[in-house]
Amino acid sequence: MLTKARKLAKLGFYVGPLRPGTKNPGSRLGRGWQEKTSNDPATVSRWFKQHPKDGLFLHLGRSGLIAFDLDQDNLDALPKEVADDLRCGLFQRSQGADDRGHYVFRTDEVFGNGAGGFSA
């Protein structure tokens, strides 16, 4: 994780450590984690050297990113225009799935953390 975390930080993305077995971004950084994520390689290195078994999270909003979490196995189940647009993003596949996973894009717009108009 140290190598991945440093690489993301060097690219200017804000990251944080996760205690093993959790998806809670405050599990290691505590309350106010939103202000504690970092893109400083030295800070990130210190975190992962102190806790080498920790997981890693990417702080999307602070990094100017948005992600779409696709919970279907095949993009072709979506309208063609939506599927084509998702194919342009960076993709993190869920374990053992085809197209199921996270599609990440850079944006200057600010979005909330809900499905909003995308929910079915």
Side-chain angles (χ1 to χ4, degrees), residues 44-55:
V44 171
S45 292
R46 187 180 76 250
W47 289 338
F48 288 93
K49 286 179 181 174
Q50 288 174 347
H51 303 282
K53 295 183 188 256
D54 274 4

Side-chain angles (χ1 to χ4, degrees), residues 66-71 111-120:
I66 185 171
F68 294 89
D69 182 4
L70 183 67
D71 290 330
F111 295 92
N113 191 25
F118 290 104
S119 62

Side-chain angles (χ1 to χ4, degrees), residues 28-77:
R28 180 67 68 201
L29 297 178
R31 291 179 60 101
W33 65 265
Q34 300 89 337
E35 303 301 322
K36 298 176 183 175
T37 56
S38 182
N39 63 0
D40 174 53
T43 299
V44 171
S45 292
R46 187 180 76 250
W47 289 338
F48 288 93
K49 286 179 181 174
Q50 288 174 347
H51 303 282
K53 295 183 188 256
D54 274 4
L56 168 68
F57 74 91
L58 178 60
H59 189 168
L60 296 173
R62 196 169 185 195
S63 297
L65 302 172
I66 185 171
F68 294 89
D69 182 4
L70 183 67
D71 290 330
Q72 294 191 19
D73 290 334
N74 193 321
L75 277 173
D76 294 328

Side-chain angles (χ1 to χ4, degrees), residues 1 13 20 24 36 38 44 62 66 77 79 91 98 100-101 105 112 114 117:
M1 281 305 145
F13 296 121
N24 177 354
K36 298 176 183 175
S38 182
V44 171
R62 196 169 185 195
I66 185 171
F91 177 58
D98 293 327
R100 183 179 297 254
F105 300 85

